[in-house]
Amino acid sequence: MSASTASAEFELTEEQEELRREIRRFAEREIAPHVREWDEHSTFPTEIVRQLGQMGLLGVIFPPELGGSGMGYVEYVLAIEELSRVDGSVGIIVAAHNSLCTNHLYLAGNAEQHKRWVTRLASGEWLGSWGLTEPGAGSDALGARTTAVRRDNGWVLNGSKTFITNGGKADCALVIAVTDREKKSHGLTAFLVEKGTPGFRPGKKEDKLGLRASDTSELIFEDCFVPDENRIGAEGEGFIDSMRVLDGGRISIAALALGIAHGAYDAARKYAKERKQFGKAIAEFQAIQFKLADMATQLEAARQLTLRAARKKTAGEKVTLESSMAKLFASEAAVRICDECVQIHGGYGFIKDYPAEKFYRDVKLCTIGEGTSEIQRMVIAREILK
């Protein structure tokens, strides 16, 4: 690959740049004025989600014939980054809907299920959630206790899921349940459960450190019957399909981290130029300059890793390694960037009058959700040692 080709690979098209600008304008106009209020009161931004659906951002990566926007993962990364640059809560709502719930349906569902559900989700008519994690089964997804037992041309679900983004607000949940424990990784099956199904309800809404405007709730199943037509994918392949789904989901969390870090970097740079000490802007001090230089470098490195994974995903290539690398690096770099943002703000970084403390609280989820940093290192090591 020539130097010029390598450079071109990482340049955005004019259409992609215009998409970035459009979403940035929307986020600054419609989201930014409400961020502090939503955060303080844990207010779910229902109207904003509706508008995002109208903009096509709830179906970015799905084809137009299924109600989607027909774009790729690069555009998806740009959307999540720009939303999260203003409010990570909005970014994670969109991410969980697109790359987890709807994408699992799209990857593993049949044509009838696509028509029945993907069209509603991708068009923004419905909001979706995805349930894999349980109170005793986080990183160890195979330790799930939620069960689905065959009965009368369908299945009866019992158990609970926890830490489910959009859980209390979604119109449907795609959940993974144990159908044959003896088969281990081939003993879990996916089901689509619609809101209002008897025996299915959201449970406790979590009171969180950050990303407080997004809804994170339990899902509870008590003798919940779903017909076999709600089974997504082959029986016993729910866990395997979930791992495929997470390859794309980790790109979205990398983009979430990138956006939060981008917002923190912009805030720190702006503050450093305005804040004066000893008769001059603190941006003139080498200590602050070095911090900003490191932040900018880490941000760009995270962006390139994330875009690389996004391009390969759009091309239909396997991205297990690339998505885990992007997620690991972007999330940990974002934590460092947000930490330095607080440090540059000094005492003002510790109060809610400035955005630094919110970026700091929001970003930590990125090293935990959709596979902790420790899990990412396990995945990367497994891939490079094959």
Side-chain angles (χ1 to χ4, degrees):
M1 180 182 290
S2 68
S4 60
T5 304
S7 175
E9 180 185 353
F10 290 92
E11 291 178 0
L12 298 177
T13 66
E14 178 52 40
E15 290 79 9
Q16 290 166 342
E17 290 286 7
E18 178 53 35
L19 177 68
R20 179 195 285 279
R21 289 191 289 267
E22 178 188 354
I23 297 171
R24 179 171 295 191
R25 288 192 293 266
F26 174 83
E28 292 180 344
R29 182 181 69 249
E30 303 294 337
I31 299 174
H34 308 289
V35 169
R36 183 173 176 183
E37 176 190 354
W38 292 345
D39 178 67
E40 288 185 354
H41 300 289
S42 295
T43 302
F44 187 83
T46 302
E47 176 59 23
I48 290 297
V49 172
R50 186 189 66 80
Q51 292 179 55
L52 292 173
Q54 293 174 344
M55 293 170 66
L57 297 185
L58 296 185
V60 180
I61 53 178
F62 307 105
E65 58 268 26
L66 292 177
S69 299
M71 293 187 279
Y73 271 78
V74 171
E75 290 82 2
Y76 180 42
V77 164
L78 296 178
I80 299 298
E81 179 186 355
E82 287 302 326
L83 294 172
S84 304
R85 175 179 167 270
V86 173
D87 191 354
S89 292
V90 178
I92 200 169
I93 291 168
V94 174
H97 171 90
N98 269 278
S99 59
L100 296 182
C101 178
T102 313
N103 200 37
H104 194 139
L105 271 168
Y106 182 65
L107 289 176
N110 58 39
E112 178 57 34
Q113 291 168 338
H114 286 174
K115 182 179 178 181
R116 181 178 176 186
W117 290 308
V118 172
T119 52
R120 291 175 173 177
L121 291 160
S123 66
E125 179 186 346
W126 275 16
L127 183 68
S129 64
W130 189 75
L132 179 63
T133 300
E134 298 186 8
S139 297
D140 177 19
L142 291 177
R145 308 303 299 176
T146 297
T147 59
V149 178
R150 276 192 176 276
R151 185 184 300 169
D152 302 328
N153 299 315
W155 304 80
V156 175
L157 277 62
N158 279 285
S160 64
K161 298 292 179 178
T162 194
F163 302 146
I164 307 304
T165 302
N166 301 337
K169 300 294 182 179
D171 296 283
C172 66
L174 196 150
V175 299
I176 318 301
V178 178
T179 48
D180 189 337
R181 195 169 303 282
E182 297 300 315
K183 293 183 179 179
K184 298 183 179 179
S185 63
H186 291 279
L188 283 78
T189 304
F191 301 91
L192 195 288
V193 187
E194 296 186 16
K195 182 179 180 180
T197 300
F200 168 50
R201 60 183 173 86
K204 175 190 175 186
K205 177 184 175 182
E206 302 295 347
D207 188 8
K208 299 176 295 182
L209 170 73
L211 301 175
R212 291 175 55 81
S214 75
D215 180 276
T216 304
S217 299
E218 292 179 318
L219 300 179
I220 297 174
F221 304 90
E222 297 172 330
D223 294 328
C224 174
F225 177 82
V226 293
D228 192 57
E229 64 194 39
N230 286 42
R231 173 175 48 83
I232 309 301
E235 182 181 343
E237 295 301 299
F239 176 78
I240 305 302
D241 289 337
S242 294
M243 295 304 101
R244 295 166 55 210
V245 169
L246 285 171
D247 280 351
R250 286 166 180 163
I251 295 173
S252 72
I253 297 299
L256 175 69
L258 189 61
I260 296 172
H262 190 166
Y265 169 70
D266 286 348
R269 187 176 58 170
K270 179 176 182 289
Y271 183 81
K273 290 180 177 180
E274 296 172 349
R275 173 68 166 167
K276 288 184 168 55
Q277 291 287 275
F278 305 104
K280 56 184 178 181
I282 62 172
E284 295 183 42
F285 293 105
Q286 190 179 68
I288 301 299
Q289 292 174 352
F290 280 11
K291 288 182 184 297
L292 291 170
D294 286 344
M295 293 163 76
T297 301
Q298 292 176 77
L299 188 62
E300 184 60 22
R303 177 172 290 111
Q304 297 304 335
L305 275 172
T306 305
L307 288 175
R308 176 170 176 259
R311 286 188 170 89
K312 294 193 73 170
K313 181 68 173 172
T314 299
E317 299 179 40
K318 184 175 183 288
V319 293
T320 302
L321 175 64
E322 291 80 5
S323 64
S324 284
M325 283 182 166
K327 199 268 190 189
L328 172 66
F329 185 86
S331 64
E332 296 202 341
V335 169
R336 292 191 295 270
I337 289 167
C338 292
D339 179 63
E340 290 288 37
C341 176
V342 172
Q343 192 70 19
I344 287 171
H345 279 76
Y348 291 106
F350 209 68
I351 62 175
K352 291 182 179 290
D353 291 345
Y354 289 79
E357 61 85 29
K358 182 177 183 296
F359 289 127
Y360 188 73
R361 288 186 288 109
D362 284 351
V363 76
K364 187 56 191 171
L365 184 278
C366 298
T367 67
I368 299 169
E370 295 191 37
T372 63
S373 290
E374 291 75 20
I375 291 294
Q376 302 314 312
R377 288 184 168 92
M378 288 171 59
V379 172
I380 293 165
R382 184 181 65 224
E383 291 295 312
I384 64 177
L385 291 172
K386 280 183 177 178

